[in-house]
Amino acid sequence: MWALHRMFVGTWNVGGKSPHEGLNLSDWLRTPAPADIYVLGFQEIVPLNAGNVLGAEDNSPAAKWLSLIREYLNNNQNDPDFPDYYNQPTNSDQKNFPPPHHGEHPPSPKPRVSFSDLLANESNSDDFQRFFSLNSGLNSSEDCSPSTSMRHTNAGLQGQRYCLAASKQMVGVFLCIWVRSELYQQIENLKVSCVGRGIMGYLGNKGSISISMTLHQTTFCFVCTHLASGEKDGDEVKRNSDVIEILKKTRFSHSVRVPGRPIPPDSILDHDKIIWLGDLNYRLAPGCGNTNTHELLKRNDWQALLEKDQLKIEQKAGRVFKGWEEGMIYFAPTYKYLANSDDYVVQTPTSKEKQRTPAWCDRILWKGEGLKQMWYVRGESKFSDHRPVFSLFSVQVNTVANQNNRKPARVQPPQPTTCLSSTCSVAKVQAEELLLTKRAQSCIYSTPRFSVTAPKAIHQ
């Protein structure tokens, strides 16, 4: 049996700025329909200075972002603009997106979304009513411990519709996954793996965080990356190398085996469905000079600019992301903007800012069957020198174990001494992988659905 779920994926390079209280996230997180899963990745969540790269990890900005996201997801009926996103013409095919706007500072075009697509799962029209229903306030004393990957627990307060399932920080890269409370207990085998690709080729100022999980009988991998920067000729080779090394070095260890069940995936490409998001840093190829770029920007001629997009060039040549998919881009380049401005740095030659050619640095790609992208746009927040990018997917999930519909998997034979209790001794934690064991207060119920002392095979 199969079920369809909506999954929101968002990425944002926030330029090392900590969010202020009351920062409005509606421009980034609002969707044409409420999602069941939110996958949110950040880059430069802290300034990438020597102290943050080499010293103790500063997780206070991550805690602030988690608080803002939790508040928005569970109280977004307060956003007056959110209902407008339901009033879209009925066609979800991306080739039918409206043409780019030709104003001076155009908004991102809104794709047309089919209500039948958005509602084609176990949720029905009542879901919309529940989504806008009044929710309780938040408990400001909750501690999310964002610097450590975790499996979050249910707690004794009411009102939260979304649970923080897992989160992990590596210097400036931060990835968190939120799910509807109804799906929380269907998630198993949460694992995380980090790969540093920054200074000396292994420090965490650049690199990836990958989270692996199983929803029902379908395996997912979410890869949040910040790849090598630079727009000189040949810098794209560094980014290609980052991708190759991340795919090679990311490993999910599984010290505890469940008898009679498939062993969860060990690597990124072993998963049924994979989402790759982040500041991939691919620029426009040399030869598309600033003058020509400025003219194309004024005309909103994205397609002409995209012909010089390094990611598309490298992917077409088979040098990176072979077999991966990305939606059509109908929005302006997301980098680099002047602070609190709609102007690119290249548009103001008298600025003290280092000149940068505008580029689509921030991207979302996917791989695997049963993933249909319905929405791929950018936000217009001026908080950072990057604009946020987000996508809405319809995701087909297998709810019944059926090996004919799964990738070949090793099966662990029954062993009489297998220990599943949380009180059992745990395996040694590998340096690159902090496993998801701690359960913090994130998902709110009046009565927990299961005992915290008997987790579902979540072990170090």
Side-chain angles (χ1 to χ4, degrees), residues 61-257:
K64 293 178 181 178
W65 284 110
L66 288 176
S67 178
L68 287 170
I69 294 166
R70 177 187 291 108
E71 182 175 3
Y72 178 79
L73 291 181
N74 291 291
N75 295 275
N76 60 16
Q77 77 280 356
N78 295 325
D79 179 4
D81 296 327
F82 193 90
D84 294 342
Y85 273 66
Y86 289 86
N87 301 322
Q88 303 291 332
T90 56
N91 195 328
S92 64
D93 194 337
Q94 284 209 0
K95 66 178 182 289
N96 292 320
F97 280 16
H101 179 76
H102 292 281
E104 182 179 359
H105 299 298
S108 296
K110 297 178 182 178
R112 291 175 283 184
V113 180
S114 167
F115 273 86
S116 60
D117 282 339
L118 298 177
L119 296 175
N121 61 10
E122 73 278 8
S123 301
N124 54 32
S125 59
D126 292 337
D127 194 35
F128 285 88
Q129 298 301 322
R130 292 197 303 270
F131 186 77
F132 291 110
S133 63
L134 182 63
N135 291 309
S136 311
L138 299 174
N139 186 344
S140 60
S141 65
E142 290 181 2
D143 178 13
C144 295
S145 303
S147 65
T148 302
S149 305
M150 66 188 71
R151 173 65 179 237
H152 297 260
T153 188
N154 306 331
L157 300 177
Q158 296 186 14
Q160 297 224 27
R161 190 167 299 281
Y162 288 92
C163 313
L164 177 57
S167 65
K168 174 63 182 160
Q169 180 177 350
M170 181 185 73
V171 188
V173 182
F174 181 61
L175 177 62
C176 57
I177 299 173
W178 301 76
V179 299
R180 277 191 178 277
S181 57
E182 303 93 301
L183 291 180
Y184 180 79
Q185 292 186 70
Q186 307 304 321
I187 294 177
E188 298 178 318
N189 302 318
L190 276 163
K191 297 288 180 178
V192 64
S193 177
C194 298
V195 176
R197 291 292 300 164
I199 300 171
M200 296 183 291
Y202 67 87
L203 292 185
N205 55 304
K206 293 291 193 296
S208 67
I209 297 172
S210 300
I211 292 181
S212 170
M213 75 178 199
T214 302
L215 175 58
H216 298 296
Q217 303 297 322
T218 300
T219 58
F220 289 83
C221 187
F222 306 107
V223 187
C224 180
T225 60
H226 193 184
L227 305 184
S229 60
E231 59 180 48
K232 299 188 301 294
D233 189 17
D235 284 341
E236 71 278 9
V237 177
K238 299 177 184 178
R239 294 183 269 276
N240 293 351
S241 178
D242 284 347
V243 173
I244 293 168
E245 290 300 305
I246 288 168
L247 288 169
K248 184 195 309 183
K249 293 181 178 179
T250 299
R251 287 294 180 266
F252 304 101
S253 68
H254 300 280
S255 57
V256 176
R257 304 292 190 243

Side-chain angles (χ1 to χ4, degrees), residues 312-332:
K312 292 190 175 297
I313 293 172
E314 296 301 300
Q315 189 177 21
K316 186 176 181 179
R319 291 187 285 264
V320 72
F321 288 116
K322 188 175 181 178
W324 292 69
E325 297 184 70
E326 183 185 19
M328 294 291 293
I329 294 176
Y330 290 97
F331 51 85

Side-chain angles (χ1 to χ4, degrees), residues 278-296:
D279 181 357
L280 278 57
N281 250 325
Y282 285 95
R283 310 300 175 89
L284 298 184
C288 187
N290 286 349
T291 301
N292 185 32
T293 299
H294 185 49
E295 291 302 316
L296 293 174

Side-chain angles (χ1 to χ4, degrees), residues 189 217 258-265 401 403 406-407 409-412:
N189 302 318
Q217 303 297 322
V258 180
R261 298 189 63 179
I263 297 174
Q403 296 305 318
R406 294 289 305 276
K407 293 182 178 181
R410 296 167 292 158
V411 176
Q412 178 73 13

